[in-house]
């Protein structure tokens, strides 16, 4: 129970953090998206290296790599590394090109993909309340898709890459910092090569943009560490519904900070999706109560 509580708390904090990051990346709209991604990877790796040194976790990292090679699981971590990098690039590109609404649509679709994956591949149970909750969410996403006029390829790719990334994190559980280190390490050389070839230089922009680029490593690490803790301690479907905090906050940021138009379609989407989340939470509470009652009865019989 304590592990699940920790997982839920970590998931909430991770998605709240991700929800407001759109504004952070939009402040760097003058920097090419691929350059932002590369600097993000490099500064993340440097920040992680400092943390590993302070914690003296380098031996643990090397032992984990040996174990992953021995169990033939290293390939999945490499795949996860490229999936999350692709997700970062698509998101940064969309936010810096005035497509925050389409980006939020991708994050609304993502948990739906997660639920399907959980049922098909992880054999998690889909209760009646979860089916009702999903129905509300599907309707809301359909309205948002209709309102934007189409379902962009970038939106689908962003949803799909993070869905597969989440599945790998669930199937190959590792200590949060070690997992993040490996994911960053595998794409680090590619980022370095790109930055050596690109004509853009982080010092050629304004001072505040340079500072934001340096901070990009820290703001990348914090939510990913929290997400790793969440993925390890709660079931996949619960994690999927917590994820709706992210796109909801993104829409709010797009409306109130980035000054995108707020239409009646968006208002309906908010209402439908949060009704779905409320139904899911209610079902989860009922399920937890039933589990406790069964456990209490079992204890009573044993006494």
């Amino acid at each position: 129970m304590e592990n699940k509580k920790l997982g839920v708390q970590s998931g909430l904090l991770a998605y709240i953090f991700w929800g407001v990051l759109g504004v952070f990346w939009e402040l760097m709209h003058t920097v090419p998206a691929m350059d932002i991604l590369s600097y993000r990877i490099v500064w993340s790796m440097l920040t992680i290296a400092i943390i590993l040194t302070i914690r003296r976790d380098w031996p643990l990292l090397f032992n984990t790599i040996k174990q992953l090679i021995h169990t033939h699981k290293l390939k999945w971590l490499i795949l996860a590394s490229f999936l999350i990098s692709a997700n970062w690039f698509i998101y940064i590109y969309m936010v810096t090109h005035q497509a925050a609404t389409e980006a939020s649509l991708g994050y609304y679709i993502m948990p739906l993909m997660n639920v399907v994956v959980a049922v098909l591949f992880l054999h998690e149970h889909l209760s009646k309340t979860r089916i009702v909750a999903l129905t509300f969410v599907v309707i809301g996403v359909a309205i948002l898709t209709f309102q934007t006029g189409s379902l962009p390829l970038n939106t689908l790719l962003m949803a799909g890459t993070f869905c597969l990334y989440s599945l790998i994190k669930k199937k190959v559980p590792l200590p949060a910092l070690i997992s993040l280190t490996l994911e960053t390490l595998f794409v680090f050389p590619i980022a370095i090569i790109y930055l050596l070839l690109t004509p853009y230089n982080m010092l050629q922009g304004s001072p505040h943009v340079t500072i934001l680029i340096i901070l990009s490593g820290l703001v990348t690490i914090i939510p990913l560490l929290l997400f790793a803790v969440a993925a390890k301690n709660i079931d996949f479907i619960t994690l999927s519904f917590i994820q709706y905090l992210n796109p909801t906050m993104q829409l709010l940021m797009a409306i109130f900070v980035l000054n995108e138009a707020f239409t009646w379609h968006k208002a309906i989407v908010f209402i439908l999706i949060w009704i779905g989340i409320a139904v899911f939470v209610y079902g989860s509470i009922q399920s937890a109560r039933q589990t406790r009652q069964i456990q209490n009865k079992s204890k009573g019989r044993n006494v």
Side-chain angles (χ1 to χ4, degrees), residues 29-221:
H29 66 274
T30 56
V31 183
M34 191 63 191
D35 291 75
I36 294 177
L37 173 63
S38 298
Y39 279 118
R40 184 180 186 178
I41 292 170
V42 169
W43 284 106
S44 294
M45 191 68 247
L46 293 174
T47 306
I48 290 170
I50 293 171
I51 296 173
L52 287 173
T53 302
I54 293 173
R55 290 169 53 94
R56 299 180 181 177
D57 277 343
W58 287 103
L60 176 60
L61 174 64
F62 296 136
N63 289 333
T64 302
I65 293 174
K66 291 178 182 178
Q67 184 180 3
L68 289 170
I69 293 173
H70 179 71
T71 57
H72 306 289
K73 292 182 178 180
L74 186 65
K75 59 187 177 183
W76 296 113
L77 267 295
I78 295 173
L79 177 59
S81 178
F82 283 95
L83 285 170
I84 194 63
S85 297
N87 181 269
W88 288 348
F89 173 76
I90 296 168
Y91 177 66
I92 292 170
Y93 179 85
M94 295 177 78
V95 170
T96 55
H97 287 75
Q98 291 76 50
T101 299
E102 287 79 1
S104 66
L105 173 57
Y107 284 109
Y108 276 127
I109 294 172
M110 204 181 298
L112 296 177
M113 290 186 177
N114 286 350
V115 170
V116 173
V117 167
V119 173
L120 293 179
F121 298 104
L122 302 180
H123 309 294
E124 293 186 9
H125 178 60
L126 195 60
S127 64
K128 291 181 180 179
T129 52
R130 286 178 172 178
I131 293 173
V132 173
L134 271 176
T135 301
F136 279 106
V137 172
V138 168
I139 294 172
V141 170
I143 292 173
L144 190 57
T145 303
F146 175 79
Q147 191 270 333
T148 56
S150 63
L151 194 60
L153 179 61
N154 284 343
T155 300
L156 286 173
L157 286 174
M158 190 173 67
T161 50
F162 199 83
C163 176
L164 294 175
Y165 169 77
S166 301
L167 178 61
I168 293 173
K169 297 288 283 187
K170 191 69 180 174
K171 297 294 284 185
V172 188
L174 292 172
L177 180 60
I178 298 301
S179 179
L180 178 56
T181 302
L182 292 174
E183 292 163 20
T184 309
L185 183 63
F186 295 134
V187 292
F188 179 71
I190 300 173
I192 289 291
I193 293 171
Y194 177 84
L195 291 176
L196 290 174
L197 297 175
T198 181
Y200 183 84
N201 186 302
M202 62 177 284
L203 298 177
Q204 73 185 50
S206 62
H208 88 271
V209 171
T210 301
I211 293 171
L212 291 175
I213 289 174
I214 295 172
L215 290 175
S216 64
L218 188 61
V219 301
T220 295
I221 289 171

Side-chain angles (χ1 to χ4, degrees), residues 271-291:
I271 293 169
L272 287 172
I273 288 177
W274 280 102
I275 288 175
I277 293 171
V279 171
F280 173 79
V281 171
Y282 172 78
S284 298
I285 293 172
Q286 291 296 103
S287 177
R289 285 177 179 173
Q290 291 174 1
T291 301

